[in-house]
Amino acid sequence: DGLVLVVVDKGEGFDVNDKGDAGIGLLSMRERLEPVGGTLTIRSAVGAGTRLEAVVPLARAQAAG
């Protein structure tokens, strides 16, 4: 019971364990999801692309909006 947004690319990818690679954009996305009970999952590997999955529980999203 939530809203799910998935973005996938087949680009260069990056090491998700390297905090220097996260970038301000990904940190900002996570910060914006947290107040509404949402989560951001990042799966990536160098040379294998990236998958971002943002999930927001609908009950929390409706209450905030």
Side-chain angles (χ1 to χ4, degrees), residues 1-3 7 16 21 27 39-40 50 58 62:
D1 292 350
L3 174 67
V7 179
V16 295
D21 264 353
L27 294 173
T39 60
L40 178 66
T50 302
L58 282 180
Q62 291 171 353

Side-chain angles (χ1 to χ4, degrees), residues 2-4 7 9-10 13 23-25 32-33 35 38 43 48-49 56 60 65:
L3 174 67
V4 179
V7 179
D9 75 22
K10 295 182 181 184
I24 192 78
R32 292 169 188 263
L33 286 164
R43 292 191 179 110
V56 178
R60 294 287 302 265

